[in-house]
Amino acid sequence: MKNKKKLSDSNLLLLITIVIFFVMYIGAVVFLKGGFLRPQAFLNILNTNAALIILASGMSLVMITGGIDISVGGQMALISMCCAVYLDYMGGNIFVSILIALAIGLAFGAVMGFLVAYLDIQPFIVSLAGMFFARGMTTIVHTAPFNVANEAFTKLKGTRIIVPGLGSVNRKGIYVDAYIEIGVIVALLVVVLLFILLKWTKLGRAFYAVGGNKQSALMLGINVKRTKFLAHLLCGLLAGIGGYVLFLNRGSGAVTNGNGMEMDAIASSIIGGTLLTGGVGNIIGTLFGVLSLSTIQNIVSSAGFDEAWWTGITIAGMLCLFLVIQSIVMSRKKSS
Amino acid sequence: MSDMKKKTSAGGILSKLMRNQIFIPLAALLLLVIINLIAGPSFFKISYSANNAGNMIFSGYPITILDFGSELAILAIGMTLVTAASGGQDISVGAAIAIAGSVMLRVLCGNAGSRPETMQAPIIVAFLVGCVVAMLFGAFNGILVAYFKIQPMVATLILYTAGRSIAAWINNNELPIIKEPVFGYFGGTIPGIPIPTPIIIAVVCMIVTALVLKFTTLGLYTQSVGINEKSARLNGLNPTFIKFLSFVILGLCVAVAGLIKVSRLSTINYSVIAKDIEMDAILAVALGGNALSGGKFNMVASILGAYVIQFLTQTLYRFKVSSDALPAYKAVVVIVLVVASAPTVREKLSSLMKSRKSHAKEVG
């Protein structure tokens, strides 16, 4: 037994998440039967949550360095509103709109990263202010929600990628292809790239080192401030990408876009095994965190609790559960 | 010679004042007053006249500020204690107000549907039940923070997400309306008394707080836990319990603020009631010059900060800023405040001042 490698914290938390996801999904398939068996049901989870996957990945990065960013939901609203206004009222170009989205995300990331890393201000306060700023700015840009009618945009929004071999026969006996939206490709690409970044690059290792122990990271010669700044910058960039993907998914500019999304992103990261205290986390875990969260939402709504408030309560409940698990794991580790 | 002495003493008083914590909110208040005076002094007119119901009351913008700042001032009391003890803030107060208000209305409606002609329970019972529920939710936050050692803001994020949903669930998503005018007294005016009731409630809360801080060791214990948890424990204090207690006290403040909020409208809107008030409460604590990382606190400065925030809100309304856009402006104020109070910035500023002073000496 002694030779057997002990599971590290990171792997243990990741394992818990993946097991819980599969148990939940199988449970849903067995007890609810309501179409959870079709591959499209799973792909739909991806379709509706592509933006959240991107957002949660960025959140995990910041959380691994020991920070937090609750402004990402507000940023998404601002991005979708700005892009919508630009495309519809100014007859804008679709590539420029993507650039606008990225620029807004990067600007938020840069300012907040500077305040957190170089001025040593609590990340929570900074991003709380960022959140209110973004939400306030959104209403200043435009108040009423509206659908975007720009031709090039609606074409891009309607683009569907057919997944071969996963289609199913519907009730009328017609074969329907399974599809995913563009956002899913982007999201998966982001996950793969971040996985590589965290696992095999110098910067990725610096993230873990800074989050694990600032002092020893400093002694190892890591530029702690720059690393933190870069984490926030990346999170901002990902919020920009995620904001655009959400915009593509919804096709409208609205103040309520991305409402509560920061919460879902944090919950997904935590469920995925990222520790709030920093230093531990995994992008694959975050992906599974998002999937678990949306599966449980689907279960809750198809089990008859379709009133809006149940979603909020279940997410909060899950978050609470995982926070307590983390706290216990950490205190055990300390005592051992 | 004597002239110089006078100068230094005047400078001494000024620098002493500047070092006093209460200087920051006072300066902000002064700035707002000046801005409003420039924009037109009619802002400060107070009139004594009959309102719609025929009662003689004081009215005018200053009274409005004091009136609508009451909830914030009451919350600032609890938030200051939480900040000092745990070094973090509770961001769930807005959601908790929704819960407390919802509970009170539920008790008042009883089994008579959501629009009863008469209240089914005395207001005091409804208020006490609301207090208990709010304190229980405060205790929930307190347990997560104190016993499970989760960062306060993240722990309270749970209630922040779920709170308004829970509030809607308590009343089955109906919007209860209390028709009896007595219930409206707490958020409006009592016939015969010319001052809006929320101001009176806020003053009572402040007096109680002042007495508690004066005659118990709560303030001292809270500060010592915030400054150094380990040494507080070595001195025989129980940091876990004190942190827990601060959240429960905040729960009580939430219940009082919830009563005022619900009474103002005699109904509730789950998604709008006390929206963004957590931001204002944190801002009030920060504006009061209290360190957001815990430790020493100044209650007077916090309460003054709360009224300054309300003053700011009123001023922004005056300049035709829509209520949806308010957060953007306040966020800028928060960032400016936090940056100005950041230790690194302060160090740089003071070193800059010193180098200028020495430069001046050399020239002299």
Side-chain angles (χ1 to χ4, degrees), chain A residues 8 21 47 66 95 98 147 172 198 203-204 209 244 257 265 275 296 308:
Chain A
S8 69
F21 169 68
N47 282 338
F95 292 104
I98 295 176
N147 283 328
K172 287 178 191 158
L198 282 176
L203 183 66
Y244 203 81
N257 268 359
L275 279 191
I296 208 166

Side-chain angles (χ1 to χ4, degrees), chain A residues 119 121 124 129 132 263 309 327, chain B residues 148 153 161 173 276 331 338 344:
Chain A
L119 297 186
I121 304 171
F124 215 113
F132 281 92
M263 186 58 208
W309 61 73
S327 163
Chain B
F148 288 105
M153 284 190 151
T161 341
N173 213 9
D276 300 344
V338 179
T344 42

Side-chain angles (χ1 to χ4, degrees), chain B residues 111-177:
Chain B
N111 295 321
S114 65
R115 316 258 151 107
E117 288 303 317
T118 53
M119 289 183 284
Q120 303 294 305
I123 293 174
I124 182 77
V125 173
F127 174 62
L128 287 179
V129 174
C131 282
V132 169
V133 171
M135 282 162 85
L136 279 177
F137 277 105
F140 169 75
N141 284 336
I143 287 171
L144 287 180
V145 172
Y147 293 92
F148 288 105
K149 309 232 179 313
I150 300 168
Q151 291 167 30
M153 284 190 151
V154 179
T156 51
L157 204 59
I158 296 172
L159 199 55
Y160 175 80
T161 341
R164 290 176 194 278
S165 300
I166 294 173
W169 175 60
I170 289 171
N171 268 313
N172 237 337
N173 213 9
E174 285 161 6
L175 299 178
I177 295 173

Side-chain angles (χ1 to χ4, degrees), chain A residues 68 115 119 121-122 124-125 128-129 131-133 136-137 139-140 263 266 276 309 313 316 319-320 323-324 327, chain B residues 89 148 150-151 153-154 157-158 160-162 165 169 173 276 279 292-293 324-325 327-328 331 335 338-339 344-345:
Chain A
I68 199 161
L115 292 176
L119 297 186
I121 304 171
Q122 283 186 34
F124 215 113
I125 299 282
L128 190 71
M131 169 167 110
F132 281 92
F133 182 74
M137 277 313 279
T139 61
I140 291 174
M263 186 58 208
I266 294 171
L276 274 171
W309 61 73
I313 294 178
L319 181 66
C320 181
L323 275 175
V324 170
S327 163
Chain B
Q89 286 76 35
F148 288 105
I150 300 168
Q151 291 167 30
M153 284 190 151
V154 179
L157 204 59
I158 296 172
Y160 175 80
T161 341
S165 300
W169 175 60
N173 213 9
D276 300 344
M279 179 75 164
L292 289 177
S293 48
D324 288 332
I335 289 296
V338 179
V339 167
T344 42
V345 178

